[in-house]
Amino acid sequence: MDLTDVTNMIIELDIDNVASAVQEQIDAGAKPQDLLKALTIGMEEVGRRYENDEYFLAELVLAGDTMKTAFEILKPHLKSDAAIDKSPIVAATVKGDNHDIGKNILISMLVSAGLEVVDLGTDCPPEKIVEAVRETNAKVVALSALLTMTMREIATVEKALREAGLRDSVKIIVGGAPLSMELAKELGADDYSPDAIDGVKRIKVLLEK
Ligand code: B12
């Protein structure tokens, strides 16, 4: 049993055995971050199969549940450095988008790093984000966007924050499959990260600014 087997369990939607396999790898001394990578590679392959009509919506749903089951085991082991700032981070998946696995992984890792997070969930309207930033004096907004169709909502959030007079006091960082640094900047965000581990590092830098 190695990391490739964990990847294959995601691809094969083996929800019954994935938790014990992850636990076994942890007990054997595998690095939690390598395990997260192995799980994510599995999800990427699931996405590829869905795109090629080898998997359908039912498989996507089961893959999501399998990933969540595996992550529950992994979560307590993903501890990182001590907190540097206590000002909260407002996190949400953009309006029209219900994907939350990546966002939830990012949030777990931020919390493990000692940071406070206000989780606004999925399909989040811009007004809710503005309100949360105003109420909590958050310095960072972390947005997840997985769908090409709705990723432009990032620009809508940026505009709403600007119109509310809050844009100068808050940094926007985004992530999700269809994005890149170039796209993120084009949509008005300050930063982008392709994964949660690097995302936490970048958010810490943004909090220091
Ligand atoms: C699981 C899944 C679902 C599940 C979601 C379950 C859930 N609770 O989240 C379900 C079945 C509900 C679903 C539904 C749909 N999905 Co879907 N889904 C996926 C899949 C296979 C995996 C996503 C995932 O969880 N990955 C694992 C996590 C860990 O990775 P991640 O989300 O990318 O997050 C990581 C990084 O991106 C980053 N990150 C994420 N957010 C943020 C935010 C910040 C601030 C930072 C710093 C970092 C960061 O950190 C994370 C950890 O490292 C992807 C394929 C893919 N390649 O992404 C398709 C995919 C995203 N889905 C797709 C589609 C088309 C749909 C549907 C429209 C299908 C349909 N016909 O109904 C619906 C849309 C529903 C909606 N309105 O949202 C397409 C999108 C295509 C596009 N470019 O627009 C994809 C790419 C599949 C494909 N290849 O076609 N889906």
Side-chain angles (χ1 to χ4, degrees), residues 36-37 39-52 55-65 67-68 71 89-106 109-110 122-123 140-151 172-179 191-200 202-203:
L36 181 59
K37 181 97 201 140
L39 294 167
T40 307
I41 292 170
M43 289 301 267
E44 281 164 10
E45 175 59 19
V46 169
R48 201 191 59 76
R49 290 189 184 189
Y50 176 78
E51 230 168 325
N52 293 341
Y55 276 1
F56 299 95
L57 200 55
E59 281 86 4
L60 273 195
V61 174
L62 187 52
D65 290 345
M67 178 77 186
K68 278 186 193 169
F71 189 65
I89 294 134
V90 169
T93 301
V94 295
K95 193 170 168 195
D97 189 337
N98 289 320
H99 294 83
D100 67 356
I101 298 171
K103 170 185 72 62
N104 292 346
I105 290 177
L106 177 75
M109 296 194 59
L110 288 168
T122 60
D123 186 18
V140 173
V141 171
L143 296 176
S144 196
L146 274 280
L147 298 170
T148 312
M149 223 168 60
T150 51
M151 69 183 181
I172 304 171
I173 181 167
V174 297
L179 297 169
D191 207 353
Y192 156 82
S193 176
D195 69 78
I197 295 167
D198 175 67
V200 172
R202 285 175 180 271
I203 287 171

